[in-house]
Amino acid sequence: MTGVQVLAVANADADQRLDRWFRRLFPHIPQGRIEKMCRKGEIRVDGGRVKPATRLQSGQEVRIPPLPDPMPEDALGAPRVQKSAISDADAAMMRRAVIYQDDHLVAINKPAGLPTQGGSGQGGRHVDALAACLAREGEDKPRLVHRLDKDTSGVLLLARSRQAAQALTDAFRHRETRKIYWAAVAGAPLPRMGKIKFGLVKAAGHGKGGEGEKMRCLHPSEIATTDGAKRAETDYATLSALGGRVSWVAMVPITGRTHQLRAHIAELGHPIVGDGKYGGSSQENLGDGWGAQLGGEISRKLHLHARYLKFRHPFTKRDLTLTAALPDHMARTWDLFDWRAEDVPVDPFYDELG
């Protein structure tokens, strides 16, 4: 067990998230423990309380509380997970998931149900840990540069170096990437194409540990007067609708808030199929939709998929476009409704406008 430490933030670590900086220095400390230490005020920056997502600045002093000693194989400062700790099945799954890789980055088609990072109740099986099996000999494991919800599948980007991670993180933060999600939603949104501008604020869960926490939508006029509320904006386009019962919708998150797409489309009365959190588990919905469960042969899993990601490569400076195939449960739904990728524009928003 270590004692209290105070570490200065190096110039090279400026503008890095506190939790990522912490995990790089102390890779044996799980994400959930870091979040708990922040909540309790045990981790402080320049004497003040901070959140895991706080951006560090060069020269700041970070208070590190007493920590358990690492296992012998852990090396301070090397963000690696031992490949031997990953099962053969998980290693094979991760390698099958790769849709693009080069000397600087790796992109995977994240399976639905696999968390992006560890946290409360997530255990050690998540992309951030399993990425170790994608590392090249002598390299650190690839680093996450953005996230997808546990039950959302699709394109997820990782960087092979800190320089690549910083460049890609900046691209996401400055909205220099183009992300398109596909979803099956209940009902048929009207108008068929539009922009959703509801603000979002966190609503506490009802469980002992905060389980059931979700985002609540607010009218834009209420954002400024509601504590914790944030502006959020989503573009959507209906690609196909079947008799008003279910629709294939493309969505672009202009902002990147927690559960933004799920909360926004549900607020219109058209929850994503399989979304028990925002659409309810029954066929009933108080909006214009039909509830989040369609019954019959339709899977009860969430039908939300990060289909498309376009960005400028941080080193070659060329535009790179990545596309992820639908997960099995969504592919079966698409087959049932005879929805085909070749029948719709790759980017329906640009194609519609131009």
PDB file of all heavy atoms in Angstrom, residues 151 184-186 262 271-281 291-294 298-304 329:
ATOM      1  N   ASP A 151     -24.654  -1.420 -24.836  1.00  0.00           N
ATOM      2  CA  ASP A 151     -25.552  -2.152 -25.722  1.00  0.00           C
ATOM      3  C   ASP A 151     -25.585  -1.611 -27.148  1.00  0.00           C
ATOM      4  O   ASP A 151     -26.350  -2.107 -27.981  1.00  0.00           O
ATOM      5  CB  ASP A 151     -26.964  -2.158 -25.129  1.00  0.00           C
ATOM      6  CG  ASP A 151     -27.027  -2.944 -23.832  1.00  0.00           C
ATOM      7  OD1 ASP A 151     -26.362  -3.989 -23.748  1.00  0.00           O
ATOM      8  OD2 ASP A 151     -27.719  -2.510 -22.890  1.00  0.00           O
ATOM      9  N   ALA A 184     -33.523   1.109 -35.454  1.00  0.00           N
ATOM     10  CA  ALA A 184     -34.926   0.788 -35.731  1.00  0.00           C
ATOM     11  C   ALA A 184     -35.717   1.424 -34.606  1.00  0.00           C
ATOM     12  O   ALA A 184     -35.416   1.206 -33.423  1.00  0.00           O
ATOM     13  CB  ALA A 184     -35.147  -0.726 -35.750  1.00  0.00           C
ATOM     14  N   VAL A 185     -36.683   2.253 -34.948  1.00  0.00           N
ATOM     15  CA  VAL A 185     -37.473   2.946 -33.926  1.00  0.00           C
ATOM     16  C   VAL A 185     -38.944   2.611 -34.084  1.00  0.00           C
ATOM     17  O   VAL A 185     -39.416   2.286 -35.186  1.00  0.00           O
ATOM     18  CB  VAL A 185     -37.266   4.482 -33.992  1.00  0.00           C
ATOM     19  CG1 VAL A 185     -35.790   4.833 -33.959  1.00  0.00           C
ATOM     20  CG2 VAL A 185     -37.937   5.092 -35.225  1.00  0.00           C
ATOM     21  N   ALA A 186     -39.666   2.705 -32.980  1.00  0.00           N
ATOM     22  CA  ALA A 186     -41.103   2.449 -33.001  1.00  0.00           C
ATOM     23  C   ALA A 186     -41.831   3.607 -33.670  1.00  0.00           C
ATOM     24  O   ALA A 186     -41.492   4.770 -33.470  1.00  0.00           O
ATOM     25  CB  ALA A 186     -41.612   2.261 -31.574  1.00  0.00           C
ATOM     26  N   ARG A 262     -30.677   8.030 -27.736  1.00  0.00           N
ATOM     27  CA  ARG A 262     -31.771   7.251 -27.158  1.00  0.00           C
ATOM     28  C   ARG A 262     -32.818   8.156 -26.512  1.00  0.00           C
ATOM     29  O   ARG A 262     -34.037   7.960 -26.695  1.00  0.00           O
ATOM     30  CB  ARG A 262     -31.205   6.260 -26.138  1.00  0.00           C
ATOM     31  CG  ARG A 262     -30.278   5.235 -26.750  1.00  0.00           C
ATOM     32  CD  ARG A 262     -29.450   4.506 -25.715  1.00  0.00           C
ATOM     33  NE  ARG A 262     -30.275   3.725 -24.801  1.00  0.00           N
ATOM     34  CZ  ARG A 262     -29.792   3.057 -23.756  1.00  0.00           C
ATOM     35  NH1 ARG A 262     -28.485   3.084 -23.497  1.00  0.00           N
ATOM     36  NH2 ARG A 262     -30.606   2.367 -22.982  1.00  0.00           N
ATOM     37  N   PRO A 271     -39.270   5.589 -29.464  1.00  0.00           N
ATOM     38  CA  PRO A 271     -38.073   4.996 -28.839  1.00  0.00           C
ATOM     39  C   PRO A 271     -37.432   3.953 -29.732  1.00  0.00           C
ATOM     40  O   PRO A 271     -38.074   3.343 -30.586  1.00  0.00           O
ATOM     41  CB  PRO A 271     -38.625   4.370 -27.557  1.00  0.00           C
ATOM     42  CG  PRO A 271     -40.068   4.082 -27.868  1.00  0.00           C
ATOM     43  CD  PRO A 271     -40.508   5.230 -28.738  1.00  0.00           C
ATOM     44  N   ILE A 272     -36.134   3.754 -29.515  1.00  0.00           N
ATOM     45  CA  ILE A 272     -35.402   2.739 -30.253  1.00  0.00           C
ATOM     46  C   ILE A 272     -35.882   1.360 -29.823  1.00  0.00           C
ATOM     47  O   ILE A 272     -36.078   1.095 -28.634  1.00  0.00           O
ATOM     48  CB  ILE A 272     -33.887   2.885 -30.004  1.00  0.00           C
ATOM     49  CG1 ILE A 272     -33.409   4.236 -30.554  1.00  0.00           C
ATOM     50  CG2 ILE A 272     -33.115   1.743 -30.647  1.00  0.00           C
ATOM     51  CD1 ILE A 272     -31.977   4.571 -30.196  1.00  0.00           C
ATOM     52  N   VAL A 273     -36.104   0.499 -30.800  1.00  0.00           N
ATOM     53  CA  VAL A 273     -36.562  -0.861 -30.513  1.00  0.00           C
ATOM     54  C   VAL A 273     -35.580  -1.538 -29.548  1.00  0.00           C
ATOM     55  O   VAL A 273     -34.360  -1.497 -29.752  1.00  0.00           O
ATOM     56  CB  VAL A 273     -36.684  -1.677 -31.821  1.00  0.00           C
ATOM     57  CG1 VAL A 273     -36.978  -3.145 -31.521  1.00  0.00           C
ATOM     58  CG2 VAL A 273     -37.777  -1.078 -32.707  1.00  0.00           C
ATOM     59  N   GLY A 274     -36.111  -2.127 -28.500  1.00  0.00           N
ATOM     60  CA  GLY A 274     -35.307  -2.823 -27.510  1.00  0.00           C
ATOM     61  C   GLY A 274     -34.764  -1.948 -26.404  1.00  0.00           C
ATOM     62  O   GLY A 274     -34.046  -2.438 -25.527  1.00  0.00           O
ATOM     63  N   ASP A 275     -35.114  -0.660 -26.395  1.00  0.00           N
ATOM     64  CA  ASP A 275     -34.594   0.248 -25.371  1.00  0.00           C
ATOM     65  C   ASP A 275     -35.545   0.304 -24.174  1.00  0.00           C
ATOM     66  O   ASP A 275     -36.445   1.134 -24.121  1.00  0.00           O
ATOM     67  CB  ASP A 275     -34.387   1.644 -25.957  1.00  0.00           C
ATOM     68  CG  ASP A 275     -33.568   2.546 -25.041  1.00  0.00           C
ATOM     69  OD1 ASP A 275     -33.380   2.177 -23.864  1.00  0.00           O
ATOM     70  OD2 ASP A 275     -33.107   3.606 -25.494  1.00  0.00           O
ATOM     71  N   GLY A 276     -35.314  -0.586 -23.216  1.00  0.00           N
ATOM     72  CA  GLY A 276     -36.158  -0.613 -22.031  1.00  0.00           C
ATOM     73  C   GLY A 276     -35.993   0.601 -21.146  1.00  0.00           C
ATOM     74  O   GLY A 276     -36.912   0.978 -20.421  1.00  0.00           O
ATOM     75  N   LYS A 277     -34.829   1.247 -21.186  1.00  0.00           N
ATOM     76  CA  LYS A 277     -34.585   2.407 -20.323  1.00  0.00           C
ATOM     77  C   LYS A 277     -35.393   3.619 -20.765  1.00  0.00           C
ATOM     78  O   LYS A 277     -35.988   4.321 -19.956  1.00  0.00           O
ATOM     79  CB  LYS A 277     -33.093   2.755 -20.305  1.00  0.00           C
ATOM     80  CG  LYS A 277     -32.752   3.943 -19.407  1.00  0.00           C
ATOM     81  CD  LYS A 277     -31.267   4.273 -19.438  1.00  0.00           C
ATOM     82  CE  LYS A 277     -30.453   3.280 -18.635  1.00  0.00           C
ATOM     83  NZ  LYS A 277     -30.629   3.452 -17.171  1.00  0.00           N
ATOM     84  N   TYR A 278     -35.435   3.874 -22.071  1.00  0.00           N
ATOM     85  CA  TYR A 278     -36.113   5.074 -22.556  1.00  0.00           C
ATOM     86  C   TYR A 278     -37.433   4.789 -23.266  1.00  0.00           C
ATOM     87  O   TYR A 278     -38.192   5.715 -23.534  1.00  0.00           O
ATOM     88  CB  TYR A 278     -35.184   5.856 -23.492  1.00  0.00           C
ATOM     89  CG  TYR A 278     -34.029   6.478 -22.751  1.00  0.00           C
ATOM     90  CD1 TYR A 278     -32.793   5.835 -22.682  1.00  0.00           C
ATOM     91  CD2 TYR A 278     -34.182   7.683 -22.076  1.00  0.00           C
ATOM     92  CE1 TYR A 278     -31.739   6.388 -21.975  1.00  0.00           C
ATOM     93  CE2 TYR A 278     -33.135   8.240 -21.369  1.00  0.00           C
ATOM     94  CZ  TYR A 278     -31.916   7.592 -21.311  1.00  0.00           C
ATOM     95  OH  TYR A 278     -30.877   8.141 -20.604  1.00  0.00           O
ATOM     96  N   GLY A 279     -37.703   3.533 -23.570  1.00  0.00           N
ATOM     97  CA  GLY A 279     -38.949   3.240 -24.262  1.00  0.00           C
ATOM     98  C   GLY A 279     -39.902   2.384 -23.476  1.00  0.00           C
ATOM     99  O   GLY A 279     -41.033   2.148 -23.898  1.00  0.00           O
ATOM    100  N   GLY A 280     -39.473   1.903 -22.310  1.00  0.00           N
ATOM    101  CA  GLY A 280     -40.338   1.022 -21.535  1.00  0.00           C
ATOM    102  C   GLY A 280     -40.283  -0.392 -22.074  1.00  0.00           C
ATOM    103  O   GLY A 280     -39.865  -0.642 -23.200  1.00  0.00           O
ATOM    104  N   SER A 281     -40.703  -1.337 -21.273  1.00  0.00           N
ATOM    105  CA  SER A 281     -40.623  -2.747 -21.671  1.00  0.00           C
ATOM    106  C   SER A 281     -41.931  -3.265 -22.255  1.00  0.00           C
ATOM    107  O   SER A 281     -42.033  -4.416 -22.641  1.00  0.00           O
ATOM    108  CB  SER A 281     -40.239  -3.598 -20.447  1.00  0.00           C
ATOM    109  OG  SER A 281     -41.189  -3.421 -19.409  1.00  0.00           O
ATOM    110  N   GLY A 291     -44.087   2.020 -28.427  1.00  0.00           N
ATOM    111  CA  GLY A 291     -43.322   1.364 -27.372  1.00  0.00           C
ATOM    112  C   GLY A 291     -42.051   0.763 -27.943  1.00  0.00           C
ATOM    113  O   GLY A 291     -41.853   0.693 -29.146  1.00  0.00           O
ATOM    114  N   ALA A 292     -41.177   0.316 -27.050  1.00  0.00           N
ATOM    115  CA  ALA A 292     -39.855  -0.129 -27.479  1.00  0.00           C
ATOM    116  C   ALA A 292     -39.786  -1.607 -27.825  1.00  0.00           C
ATOM    117  O   ALA A 292     -38.751  -2.084 -28.232  1.00  0.00           O
ATOM    118  CB  ALA A 292     -38.833   0.195 -26.385  1.00  0.00           C
ATOM    119  N   GLN A 293     -40.867  -2.340 -27.647  1.00  0.00           N
ATOM    120  CA  GLN A 293     -40.861  -3.772 -27.974  1.00  0.00           C
ATOM    121  C   GLN A 293     -41.920  -4.042 -29.040  1.00  0.00           C
ATOM    122  O   GLN A 293     -43.082  -3.693 -28.873  1.00  0.00           O
ATOM    123  CB  GLN A 293     -41.143  -4.622 -26.723  1.00  0.00           C
ATOM    124  CG  GLN A 293     -40.142  -4.409 -25.591  1.00  0.00           C
ATOM    125  CD  GLN A 293     -38.724  -4.759 -25.990  1.00  0.00           C
ATOM    126  OE1 GLN A 293     -38.492  -5.526 -26.916  1.00  0.00           O
ATOM    127  NE2 GLN A 293     -37.754  -4.201 -25.273  1.00  0.00           N
ATOM    128  N   LEU A 294     -41.491  -4.665 -30.124  1.00  0.00           N
ATOM    129  CA  LEU A 294     -42.419  -4.933 -31.224  1.00  0.00           C
ATOM    130  C   LEU A 294     -42.973  -6.350 -31.193  1.00  0.00           C
ATOM    131  O   LEU A 294     -43.944  -6.648 -31.874  1.00  0.00           O
ATOM    132  CB  LEU A 294     -41.726  -4.689 -32.568  1.00  0.00           C
ATOM    133  CG  LEU A 294     -41.244  -3.253 -32.803  1.00  0.00           C
ATOM    134  CD1 LEU A 294     -40.580  -3.147 -34.168  1.00  0.00           C
ATOM    135  CD2 LEU A 294     -42.394  -2.264 -32.693  1.00  0.00           C
ATOM    136  N   ILE A 298     -38.887 -10.126 -33.468  1.00  0.00           N
ATOM    137  CA  ILE A 298     -37.947  -9.018 -33.278  1.00  0.00           C
ATOM    138  C   ILE A 298     -37.218  -9.175 -31.944  1.00  0.00           C
ATOM    139  O   ILE A 298     -37.836  -9.323 -30.890  1.00  0.00           O
ATOM    140  CB  ILE A 298     -38.677  -7.664 -33.312  1.00  0.00           C
ATOM    141  CG1 ILE A 298     -39.488  -7.530 -34.603  1.00  0.00           C
ATOM    142  CG2 ILE A 298     -37.666  -6.525 -33.186  1.00  0.00           C
ATOM    143  CD1 ILE A 298     -38.657  -7.642 -35.858  1.00  0.00           C
ATOM    144  N   SER A 299     -35.911  -9.144 -31.998  1.00  0.00           N
ATOM    145  CA  SER A 299     -35.098  -9.269 -30.790  1.00  0.00           C
ATOM    146  C   SER A 299     -35.413  -8.143 -29.810  1.00  0.00           C
ATOM    147  O   SER A 299     -35.725  -7.013 -30.209  1.00  0.00           O
ATOM    148  CB  SER A 299     -33.610  -9.218 -31.153  1.00  0.00           C
ATOM    149  OG  SER A 299     -32.810  -9.089 -30.003  1.00  0.00           O
ATOM    150  N   ARG A 300     -35.309  -8.453 -28.523  1.00  0.00           N
ATOM    151  CA  ARG A 300     -35.523  -7.454 -27.493  1.00  0.00           C
ATOM    152  C   ARG A 300     -34.256  -6.656 -27.200  1.00  0.00           C
ATOM    153  O   ARG A 300     -34.258  -5.771 -26.348  1.00  0.00           O
ATOM    154  CB  ARG A 300     -36.018  -8.127 -26.209  1.00  0.00           C
ATOM    155  CG  ARG A 300     -37.382  -8.800 -26.365  1.00  0.00           C
ATOM    156  CD  ARG A 300     -37.768  -9.545 -25.104  1.00  0.00           C
ATOM    157  NE  ARG A 300     -38.021  -8.655 -23.997  1.00  0.00           N
ATOM    158  CZ  ARG A 300     -39.185  -8.076 -23.738  1.00  0.00           C
ATOM    159  NH1 ARG A 300     -40.222  -8.272 -24.557  1.00  0.00           N
ATOM    160  NH2 ARG A 300     -39.343  -7.286 -22.688  1.00  0.00           N
ATOM    161  N   LYS A 301     -33.159  -6.941 -27.913  1.00  0.00           N
ATOM    162  CA  LYS A 301     -31.927  -6.186 -27.721  1.00  0.00           C
ATOM    163  C   LYS A 301     -32.044  -4.794 -28.353  1.00  0.00           C
ATOM    164  O   LYS A 301     -32.818  -4.577 -29.283  1.00  0.00           O
ATOM    165  CB  LYS A 301     -30.744  -6.923 -28.346  1.00  0.00           C
ATOM    166  CG  LYS A 301     -30.378  -8.232 -27.660  1.00  0.00           C
ATOM    167  CD  LYS A 301     -29.174  -8.868 -28.347  1.00  0.00           C
ATOM    168  CE  LYS A 301     -28.771 -10.163 -27.670  1.00  0.00           C
ATOM    169  NZ  LYS A 301     -27.589 -10.789 -28.348  1.00  0.00           N
ATOM    170  N   LEU A 302     -31.222  -3.874 -27.853  1.00  0.00           N
ATOM    171  CA  LEU A 302     -31.222  -2.510 -28.372  1.00  0.00           C
ATOM    172  C   LEU A 302     -30.833  -2.495 -29.852  1.00  0.00           C
ATOM    173  O   LEU A 302     -29.817  -3.068 -30.243  1.00  0.00           O
ATOM    174  CB  LEU A 302     -30.228  -1.655 -27.574  1.00  0.00           C
ATOM    175  CG  LEU A 302     -30.177  -0.176 -27.934  1.00  0.00           C
ATOM    176  CD1 LEU A 302     -31.451   0.531 -27.467  1.00  0.00           C
ATOM    177  CD2 LEU A 302     -28.952   0.494 -27.316  1.00  0.00           C
ATOM    178  N   HIS A 303     -31.620  -1.808 -30.665  1.00  0.00           N
ATOM    179  CA  HIS A 303     -31.375  -1.704 -32.103  1.00  0.00           C
ATOM    180  C   HIS A 303     -30.734  -0.355 -32.429  1.00  0.00           C
ATOM    181  O   HIS A 303     -31.326   0.502 -33.098  1.00  0.00           O
ATOM    182  CB  HIS A 303     -32.680  -1.873 -32.879  1.00  0.00           C
ATOM    183  CG  HIS A 303     -33.150  -3.292 -32.992  1.00  0.00           C
ATOM    184  ND1 HIS A 303     -33.364  -4.106 -31.907  1.00  0.00           N
ATOM    185  CD2 HIS A 303     -33.449  -4.054 -34.091  1.00  0.00           C
ATOM    186  CE1 HIS A 303     -33.775  -5.298 -32.311  1.00  0.00           C
ATOM    187  NE2 HIS A 303     -33.827  -5.290 -33.628  1.00  0.00           N
ATOM    188  N   LEU A 304     -29.510  -0.153 -31.937  1.00  0.00           N
ATOM    189  CA  LEU A 304     -28.765   1.080 -32.199  1.00  0.00           C
ATOM    190  C   LEU A 304     -27.337   0.698 -32.564  1.00  0.00           C
ATOM    191  O   LEU A 304     -26.672  -0.033 -31.831  1.00  0.00           O
ATOM    192  CB  LEU A 304     -28.776   1.985 -30.964  1.00  0.00           C
ATOM    193  CG  LEU A 304     -27.984   3.300 -31.101  1.00  0.00           C
ATOM    194  CD1 LEU A 304     -28.568   4.179 -32.211  1.00  0.00           C
ATOM    195  CD2 LEU A 304     -27.986   4.064 -29.776  1.00  0.00           C
ATOM    196  N   HIS A 329     -28.447  -9.476 -34.275  1.00  0.00           N
ATOM    197  CA  HIS A 329     -29.862  -9.250 -33.930  1.00  0.00           C
ATOM    198  C   HIS A 329     -30.479  -8.163 -34.803  1.00  0.00           C
ATOM    199  O   HIS A 329     -31.659  -8.244 -35.170  1.00  0.00           O
ATOM    200  CB  HIS A 329     -30.030  -8.937 -32.435  1.00  0.00           C
ATOM    201  CG  HIS A 329     -29.538  -7.589 -32.014  1.00  0.00           C
ATOM    202  ND1 HIS A 329     -28.191  -7.315 -31.832  1.00  0.00           N
ATOM    203  CD2 HIS A 329     -30.193  -6.432 -31.733  1.00  0.00           C
ATOM    204  CE1 HIS A 329     -28.050  -6.055 -31.443  1.00  0.00           C
ATOM    205  NE2 HIS A 329     -29.241  -5.497 -31.385  1.00  0.00           N
TER     206      HIS A 329
END
